[in-house]
Amino acid sequence: MTAAPHPKPNPQQLDAIRAVVGPKGIIEGDDKAPYLTEWRKRWHGATPLIVAPASTEDVAKIVKICAAEKIAITPQGGNTGLVGGQIPLGNEILLTLKRMRNIRAVEPLNNTMTVDAGITLAEAQERAHEAGRLFPLSIGSEGSCQIGGVISTNAGGVNVLRYGNTRDLVLGLEAVMPDGEIWNGLKRLRKDNTGYDLKQLLIGGEGTLGIITGAVLKLFPQPAEKVTICAGMSNADDAVRLLSLAQAATGGNVSSFELMYRLCIDLTLKHIPDTRDPLGDKHPVYVLAEFSSGVGVGLRNSVESMLAKALEQGIINDATIAENEAQADGLWRIRHAISEATNGEGLGARHDVSVGTSDIPAFINKANKTVAAIAPGVRFVTFGHIGDGNIHYNVLAEEGAAKDALNDKRATIEQAVYDIIGEFGGSISAEHGVGRHRREDIAARKSPVELNMMRAIKNALDPHGIMNPGKML
Amino acid sequence: MTAAPHPKPNPQQLDAIRAVVGPKGIIEGDDKAPYLTEWRKRWHGATPLIVAPASTEDVAKIVKICAAEKIAITPQGGNTGLVGGQIPLGNEILLTLKRMRNIRAVEPLNNTMTVDAGITLAEAQERAHEAGRLFPLSIGSEGSCQIGGVISTNAGGVNVLRYGNTRDLVLGLEAVMPDGEIWNGLKRLRKDNTGYDLKQLLIGGEGTLGIITGAVLKLFPQPAEKVTICAGMSNADDAVRLLSLAQAATGGNVSSFELMYRLCIDLTLKHIPDTRDPLGDKHPVYVLAEFSSGVGVGLRNSVESMLAKALEQGIINDATIAENEAQADGLWRIRHAISEATNGEGLGARHDVSVGTSDIPAFINKANKTVAAIAPGVRFVTFGHIGDGNIHYNVLAEEGAAKDALNDKRATIEQAVYDIIGEFGGSISAEHGVGRHRREDIAARKSPVELNMMRAIKNALDPHGIMNPGKML
């Protein structure tokens, strides 16, 4: 499916939209630039108009005008997406949710919070914390990404193993559908079997089926005890074994389980100040894991015995347990800085892929061999959320090479990695989504049956194709 | 939307379908009866043909014939549904998945299991257990209900608070779509953001969008420590407070949290052998709760201090902790026998509803007053999964009344209860689904926007309306 050829809106149409929001809701002139470039400067766009409605009703009025006039719309949250889904291609109006910032309700006894789409993830976390609860979603951009965008992209992050993806953390949605009708699906319910679960289409729908304006989020009890460890081992097989041991020993109290190959540590120590090698010796592979429990006692003992057993069985070579918050932060600092650390080493080929957790070692081995055959001497900066089967598989040119050394081989490497992902029944975009970036890859690699289902749903709910055209499908 | 008028298939068409499965796959004569009556004898149906294909490919061949000839199909699992969704109305062929019983893969290191749709829930639980893992879904009919039906109805049960509904326990699906194409969505992945999450439409879709033939199920570590308690208190408000206290004290290690009003206990003691009053004195309201933890120590202590605190704060009047498995079973026996116990008291008005957990006391109070005004003297057998906001709100005629005493008031009571549920933003079918039973209620009570979305999706994926017509919408 190609994007429907939406014409540039004419001045009268744009005036009608401006009249809905008034001067406060129009972003003009030089103020437009930050909305039209993605933060890494990778995706650039253009738009005839940026509107910032302040209410769901105003969003509906705008979409009604657009539906009647076949004007296309790109919704935008915090503009932190990595695949260009939030950047208009040219004729779409850009609708930012930034002025919709109400916390509509916080209900600790119901473990729910009802919010406007425009609050940041960090604000949602803070408001939950103030109410003595936990909103567990945590991603690098949490200070600026917005709840609406987080939901539209089904964001993942470091706590998925324990608490699930965004999809698992949303109980209800309010959205403006492509015909401009407001759908009130703001249910605060854990159980509701009265028809198709429509919110699931908008979650991860990348704004192609409607504009999310509000959401009911699931809250959790705050954990009473946290234990953070780092372990060094010989290979990824042992990392998978350690995960199994850790889950058995703590019965599912593993919150995060992150894999890092040694090169991740080396580059971080080289480029990022105030980082230090987590263990005395160097090891080929590291695991950074966090355990949390509500019981308040016993967790540290369980983790200690588990690590002793892992040492005894030869699964790990060494391990450290953070003695306090500062030590835990130091370990996490390495993990969080890997992306930044690789930026100093030139632009490689990056992949955000997933396979079954137990397939991770075989995938990495096969991908390394295949990529090395395409581009001898490359370096592999492999890390990720091993408990979710999600690997950030990044390839860098050899040390000292020019920054653009991999440019002409990038596409070949990517397609080869995706071929291997296909063999393992994996996903070529585990967390980051499709947007503009992976649109053609999806079209080429999904089965015709699945593509037809997706297109049938898109056509059924957005027959004029006005919602975020040119993205996802 | 009324069911499309599907004609009775002619003999040639039926022969073509028979030829796909051969004699082993045809259920005829007296053998047909058990498939055409629901187990409580509440829903009865008829069909020109019952087929039992043995493979996904055969299901696809049958659906292809039906799609070409516009023959309607009702898929059936273990025939344990409570709302008539699995019973054909007359001209539909009935397709039972009972011969599709392969366990395709059990992967403990990936915490997944891939199965055919026709295995029972109990078999899935057993196979997970043999692999040292837990498949946590647990419902009364687990010995005979099948995985395909469990997924098509998004079954709930007693462990939802900790592990989620069926929707949360399915990673991938295989289904035959209404055009007869096989959709292979058997992903074994925790993360996959490459388009609309299509499986979510089939989960809880009640067979109206396709026939589920296989699934990838999520497995969990087995818990190391379990604590079962029963507490007596004055009212439902205190039960909600106790839940909050319990979740805070054990940080989310509450697996089940069940509410029972005293009459539930009285009727169970009266009608069910080998049951005994759980506490020394009688209390207006009881909570039966189960806690489980993987840490292996500390849980019982946490639960004990929590109960001491609740006694001190006057939230509960008394409590008991099961000292062993037999005592825990005894407590659960009461909870599980409530439905059976009420059968001896005449047919009342039954409701499977949900509201926000914190709204439960207000809902019960308002419903009791309203129903008592309609039918003075009725008795309320109120129990349910309070942690999920899911109440089985059942109304019985006064003691000693004729079995059919409430017959002429049942519809009035139901609609009054549903009106109140609407005021609380609740669901009129929390677990049991829509099927035939609640189809008109859904049509009358859902918003036009939502009904239009549901119909648009149904028409997009099943344009001839051959999949389970007359159910849900």
Side-chain angles (χ1 to χ4, degrees), chain A residues 73-75 85-87 92 206-208 458 465-471:
Chain A
I73 309 169
T74 294
Q86 75 278 25
I87 304 292
E92 310 94 314
E206 302 190 3
T208 64
K458 168 74 174 174
I466 64 167
M467 292 305 312
N468 213 7
K471 313 296 167 55

Side-chain angles (χ1 to χ4, degrees), chain B residues 135-421:
Chain B
F135 183 60
L137 190 71
S138 176
I139 56 180
S141 59
E142 59 199 29
S144 48
C145 69
Q146 294 171 12
I147 288 296
V150 160
I151 295 172
S152 291
T153 56
N154 186 30
V158 292
N159 289 328
V160 171
L161 184 59
R162 177 77 177 275
Y163 296 100
N165 291 295
T166 300
R167 187 178 301 285
D168 303 299
L169 304 174
V170 174
L171 290 178
L173 282 186
E174 176 192 81
V176 175
M177 301 308 293
D179 59 1
E181 293 289 335
I182 298 169
W183 173 52
N184 181 347
L186 285 177
K187 297 257 175 87
R188 302 148 52 250
L189 309 174
R190 255 80 184 167
K191 284 184 178 171
D192 176 26
N193 277 344
T194 58
Y196 306 139
D197 193 354
L198 300 168
K199 69 175 178 291
Q200 304 289 351
L201 289 173
L202 289 152
I203 300 171
E206 301 189 6
T208 63
L209 295 177
I211 302 174
I212 293 170
T213 52
V216 182
L217 306 177
K218 224 191 250 187
L219 305 182
F220 293 82
Q222 290 175 349
E225 189 181 3
K226 252 192 207 181
V227 180
T228 307
I229 66 133
C230 184
M233 61 212 74
S234 305
N235 54 49
D237 272 308
D238 286 336
V240 172
R241 274 185 215 115
L242 185 67
L243 172 62
S244 185
L245 207 63
Q247 288 187 310
T250 68
N253 286 328
V254 190
S255 307
S256 305
F257 202 88
E258 305 284 308
L259 173 83
M260 300 179 282
Y261 274 74
R262 176 66 207 181
L263 184 59
C264 304
I265 316 273
D266 286 336
L267 293 180
T268 305
L269 297 177
K270 177 177 165 194
H271 291 289
I272 311 294
D274 300 327
T275 50
R276 64 176 211 85
D277 217 333
L279 300 170
D281 294 320
K282 294 183 181 185
H283 306 274
V285 168
Y286 293 76
V287 160
L288 170 60
E290 195 171 277
F291 304 78
S292 65
S293 155
V295 173
V297 291
L299 184 62
R300 179 162 172 137
N301 283 349
S302 299
V303 173
E304 277 172 2
S305 346
M306 182 275 293
L307 289 174
K309 203 167 159 188
L311 266 171
E312 202 183 290
Q313 296 182 1
I315 294 176
I316 62 173
N317 304 325
D318 193 11
T320 181
I321 302 185
E323 289 300 332
N324 51 48
E325 198 76 12
Q327 285 186 13
D329 288 348
L331 293 173
W332 274 108
R333 189 167 163 71
I334 299 170
R335 168 64 185 84
H336 287 311
I338 299 172
S339 284
E340 201 188 329
T342 59
N343 284 343
E345 298 279 322
L347 197 63
R350 289 164 186 255
H351 312 82
D352 164 45
V353 295
S354 71
V355 292
T357 297
S358 48
D359 291 335
I360 286 178
F363 160 72
I364 293 176
N365 286 342
K366 183 154 189 186
N368 284 1
K369 268 183 209 155
T370 306
V371 173
I374 297 168
V378 293
R379 294 172 293 163
F380 301 103
V381 185
T382 306
F383 62 102
H385 319 291
I386 194 174
D388 315 318
N390 179 193
I391 296 295
H392 299 301
Y393 181 77
N394 297 327
V395 182
L396 290 183
E398 57 192 314
E399 205 168 349
K403 286 218 168 193
D404 58 358
L406 275 185
N407 277 12
D408 58 339
K409 289 185 171 162
R410 183 176 303 121
T412 311
I413 293 173
E414 282 182 5
Q415 296 307 318
V417 170
Y418 293 163
D419 286 346
I420 299 168
I421 283 293

Side-chain angles (χ1 to χ4, degrees), chain A residues 134-139 156-165 169 220-229 242-259 287-295 299 303 306 328 332 335-336 384-390 431, chain B residues 111 162 190-191 220-221 250-253 295:
Chain A
L134 173 73
F135 183 62
L137 190 71
S138 176
I139 57 180
V158 292
N159 289 328
V160 172
L161 184 60
R162 177 77 177 276
Y163 297 99
N165 291 293
L169 304 175
F220 293 82
Q222 291 174 349
E225 189 180 3
K226 252 192 207 181
V227 180
T228 306
I229 65 133
L242 185 68
L243 173 62
S244 185
L245 206 64
Q247 287 186 313
T250 67
N253 285 328
V254 190
S255 307
S256 305
F257 204 88
E258 304 283 310
L259 174 83
V287 160
L288 169 61
E290 194 170 277
F291 304 78
S292 65
S293 155
V295 173
L299 183 64
V303 173
M306 182 276 292
W332 274 107
R335 168 63 185 84
H336 287 311
H385 319 292
I386 193 173
D388 314 318
N390 179 193
E431 291 192 315
Chain B
N111 280 315
R162 177 77 177 275
R190 255 80 184 167
K191 284 184 178 171
F220 293 82
T250 68
N253 286 328
V295 173

Side-chain angles (χ1 to χ4, degrees), chain B residues 1-64:
Chain B
M1 183 190 275
T2 51
H6 298 283
K8 209 177 178 73
N10 65 39
Q12 291 82 352
Q13 291 169 333
L14 294 175
D15 282 346
I17 295 170
R18 283 193 191 97
V20 173
V21 293
K24 272 191 185 167
I26 305 292
I27 291 149
E28 290 182 296
D30 291 349
D31 294 339
K32 283 172 80 173
Y35 298 84
L36 295 172
T37 301
E38 177 252 17
W39 60 281
R40 297 168 311 169
K41 317 271 185 243
R42 183 154 179 181
W43 301 102
H44 305 275
T47 182
L49 180 66
I50 303 183
V51 280
S55 69
T56 302
E57 290 67 31
D58 282 358
V59 175
K61 282 179 198 159
I62 294 166
V63 178
K64 279 228 162 110

